[in-house]
Amino acid sequence: MCGKKFEINPDILQAGRPVHEIFGWYADGRAALGQNNRQKGPSVCKSGRDDLMVDYALKTIRITKIFQVSAGMFLGKKKLKAVNGVSLSVPRGSILGLVGESGCGKTTLAKMILGLEKKTSGELYIDGEDISSMGYKKIARIIQPVFQDPYSSLNPRKSISKIISLPVRAQGLSKGRHDLEKKVDEIMEMVGLPPRLKHNYPNQLSGGQRQRVAVARALIMRPETILCDEPT
């Protein structure tokens, strides 16, 4: 991907550009006018850490996940270390790619970041706050996922409009039906989905269109961070 453009719609996405420049807004709704509009000076983490933790959209420190799995009949349980002391930092407005062979723990790490798996040890901060003090809805407002398999991650009984608007409805951020439909129309246009597909169902779309639906669902709330698990 280095040196190449990655486009969903012309002039929308380009690899290497800061996220706030690509989409034109920050998570709190401010228009992106450049890095100078951010508050300068030392930052204090919401959890009380006196450092620059809040300058990172995501940060992990020696995070570990150990599962207890069967060792065989009559042998009890044994420990399986799925993630072993991973430390990473994602500054605001940047892109980080995590590469590894199948089964090395990438998806498990993603699930811990999303709050779907509890870490065994280590520290995990989202938007400068310790994830252990955050509820699921708060995490979802800051970080949204795009899953590996678009078909299994989309409800086959829901229309495309219902699927895309789900995060907004779950968070209670809609001002009414008209406002919700407007948000859906705008995000569908952004990812290159024609309006006529609004009332279709996932099984009526191609694989590429389904993945665009998954991307639209992740972007509709304008989260601070997008987490992609092999989205292509």
Side-chain angles (χ1 to χ4, degrees):
M1 292 297 294
C2 182
K4 298 182 180 179
K5 288 185 177 180
F6 175 73
E7 296 185 350
I8 287 179
N9 217 14
D11 302 322
I12 293 299
L13 291 179
Q14 182 177 2
R17 289 175 56 194
V19 174
H20 63 269
E21 290 183 9
I22 295 173
F23 298 110
W25 36 251
Y26 289 98
D28 60 5
R30 290 183 291 123
L33 302 177
Q35 292 292 343
N36 292 333
N37 65 343
R38 289 182 53 196
Q39 184 179 358
K40 297 181 180 180
S43 303
V44 178
C45 181
K46 296 173 184 176
S47 61
R49 291 177 64 98
D50 187 12
D51 54 22
L52 297 178
M53 193 70 72
V54 292
D55 283 341
Y56 294 100
L58 172 66
K59 188 175 183 69
T60 70
I61 303 174
R62 297 183 298 278
I63 191 170
T64 300
K65 178 63 180 181
I66 299 175
F67 292 100
Q68 298 290 333
V69 299
S70 175
M73 189 175 294
F74 309 120
L75 296 178
K77 300 287 185 179
K78 66 177 181 179
K79 293 181 179 180
L80 174 64
K81 193 170 288 187
V83 177
N84 185 15
V86 173
S87 297
L88 56 85
S89 300
V90 184
R92 298 182 187 278
S94 67
I95 299 172
L96 173 69
L98 191 62
V99 181
E101 63 184 5
S102 179
C104 71
K106 301 186 301 295
T107 298
T108 301
L109 177 61
K111 288 181 177 180
M112 287 191 286
I113 293 171
L114 292 168
L116 302 178
E117 287 280 1
K118 297 292 185 181
K119 58 184 173 63
T120 303
S121 64
E123 300 175 64
L124 172 55
Y125 298 92
I126 297 176
D127 196 29
E129 187 170 354
D130 192 330
I131 193 173
S132 61
S133 65
M134 304 170 69
Y136 292 121
K137 293 186 73 172
K138 187 172 183 179
I139 295 172
R141 291 191 70 166
I142 299 172
I143 184 168
Q144 280 287 311
V146 178
F147 294 106
Q148 181 175 353
D149 183 358
Y151 192 77
S152 63
S153 67
L154 304 179
N155 190 332
R157 298 185 178 183
K158 298 292 185 180
S159 68
I160 301 308
S161 178
K162 292 288 187 182
I163 291 172
I164 293 175
S165 64
L166 177 60
V168 177
R169 291 185 283 112
Q171 295 282 352
L173 300 178
S174 173
K175 298 177 182 178
R177 181 176 178 181
H178 178 72
D179 177 64
L180 189 61
E181 289 182 356
K182 182 180 178 181
K183 290 179 185 292
V184 172
D185 291 342
E186 288 176 350
I187 207 69
M188 286 184 68
E189 181 181 2
M190 178 182 285
V191 300
L193 286 171
R196 59 182 172 80
L197 298 179
K198 279 175 61 175
H199 304 294
N200 286 27
Y201 291 82
N203 67 329
Q204 297 174 300
L205 306 184
S206 68
Q209 288 174 326
R210 288 197 292 263
Q211 192 61 294
R212 288 170 187 253
V213 171
V215 172
R217 178 178 59 184
L219 294 179
I220 194 168
M221 287 203 310
R222 302 182 177 184
E224 182 75 22
T225 303
I226 303 292
L227 194 156
C228 301
D229 184 8
E230 298 185 28
T232 58

